[in-house]
């Protein structure tokens, strides 16, 4: 079930443009429920399973935000795709749809193909036309700050930037900035939703594959370094989340687009386990005076 609250629209207009992740808090009209989708490349397909459960249970989503793979799913959902359509997209998606090998000094692959894919896939192409308000997070490579796209403009540059994993994809140049994967500065975009006035944030985190041996390639070394870095910064996005849903996808490789049914099932199972706590939290989240930070059922969902 979709909601387009006037509060959400006012919040989007009030924050026209982009916010940095370290910006001071600003008073904005509060909205109810926001979903923050993390990255994981092919493992991002698990987000579809989470959305399937929320849609089936009629849980309204007032905002959706994403980084990296989560940005693609968030944009497709915000643009009006239902879960069945998202599943069709996921089943058809291949690496060649979003990237082309083009080794250079700044990366091994170019992401221009992603724009063509997004133009074919998304029902609308601009932030202001989204059926559900959308935020997409990238990282400014020079400053290290998060760059939060929302409110207005085409979504293509935002999503390409958010998906530009350092070393693999070329950075994206935009308005004097050199932008890379949003997960480098904001692994899960919970803080971005807080800045946009969202009262209750549910984050979906996709754990990386289990490392049982030494990395066997340069890319594996870089990937492992990022995993270590993100584990050390995990506390920050958890502090900005009311709940964390963690689909069990650690056994799926980053580029395994053949495991779509398994990934969707993992997202669905994790969301179903979270349902009792989510239902219990819906009423307080929509009432005046609500403050985040306490799980209704900490035994089921880590805060």
């Amino acid at each position: 079930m979709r909601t387009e609250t006037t509060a959400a629209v006012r919040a989007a207009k009030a924050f026209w443009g982009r916010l940095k992740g370290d910006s001071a808090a600003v008073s904005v009209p509060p909205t109810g429920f926001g979903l923050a989708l993390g990255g994981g490349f092919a493992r991002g397909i698990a987000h579809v399973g989470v959305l399937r459960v929320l849609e089936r249970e009629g849980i309204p989503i007032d905002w959706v935000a994403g980084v990296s793979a989560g940005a693609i799913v968030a944009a497709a959902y915000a643009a009006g795709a239902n879960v069945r359509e998202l599943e069709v997209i996921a089943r058809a998606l291949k690496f060649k749809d979003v990237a082309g090998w083009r080794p250079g000094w700044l990366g091994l692959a170019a992401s221009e193909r992603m724009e063509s894919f997004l133009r074919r896939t998304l029902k609308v192409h601009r932030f202001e036309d989204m059926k559900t308000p959308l935020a997409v997070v990238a990282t400014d490579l020079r400053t290290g700050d998060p760059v939060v796209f929302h409110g207005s403009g085409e979504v293509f540059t935002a999503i390409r930037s958010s998906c530009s994993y350092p070393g693999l994809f070329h950075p994206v140049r935009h308005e004097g900035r050199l932008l890379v994967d949003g997960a480098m500065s904001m692994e899960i975009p919970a803080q971005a939703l807080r800045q946009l006035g969202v009262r209750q944030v549910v984050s979906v985190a996709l754990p990386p594959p289990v490392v049982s041996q030494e990395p066997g390639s340069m890319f594996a070394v870089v990937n492992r370094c990022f995993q270590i870095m993100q584990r050390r910064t995990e506390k920050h996005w958890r502090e900005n989340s009311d709940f964390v849903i963690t689909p069990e996808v650690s056994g799926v490789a980053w580029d395994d687009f053949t495991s779509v049914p398994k990934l969707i099932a993992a997202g669905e199972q994790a969301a179903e386990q979270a349902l009792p706590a989510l239902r219990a939290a819906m009423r307080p989240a929509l009432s005046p005076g609500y403050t985040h930070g306490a799980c209704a059922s900490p035994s089921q969902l880590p805060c």
Side-chain angles (χ1 to χ4, degrees), residues 65-200:
V67 300
S68 197
I72 296 177
V73 177
Y77 177 81
N82 60 37
V83 173
R84 184 175 298 178
E85 291 169 326
L86 288 174
E87 186 172 345
V88 170
I89 294 168
R91 289 181 182 277
L93 182 63
K94 301 291 185 295
F95 180 80
K96 66 180 181 180
D97 292 325
V98 296
W101 295 112
R102 197 175 74 194
W105 290 113
L106 300 182
L108 298 176
S111 61
E112 282 82 1
R113 289 182 184 179
M114 190 179 298
E115 180 168 338
S116 299
F117 167 77
L118 294 170
R119 285 188 182 277
R120 296 193 309 270
T121 302
L122 301 184
K123 293 185 176 182
V124 296
H125 299 158
R126 300 184 65 84
F127 282 96
E128 61 267 34
D129 295 330
M130 293 290 164
K131 289 182 168 54
T132 300
L134 169 70
V136 173
V137 181
T139 300
D140 187 325
L141 190 58
R142 293 189 179 93
T143 66
D145 293 329
V147 178
V148 183
F149 292 85
H150 69 97
S152 67
E154 289 189 334
V155 300
F156 309 123
T157 296
I159 298 173
R160 282 184 56 216
S161 301
S162 187
C163 292
S164 292
Y165 191 90
L168 176 60
F169 289 104
H170 300 182
V172 175
R173 296 186 184 276
H174 177 67
E175 296 184 351
R177 288 177 166 140
L178 198 60
L179 301 177
V180 294
D181 197 318
M184 298 303 101
S185 58
M186 195 180 289
E187 182 184 357
I188 311 289
Q191 184 184 5
L193 290 175
R194 291 290 180 210
Q195 291 175 311
L196 289 162
V198 176
R199 286 184 171 184
Q200 183 187 36

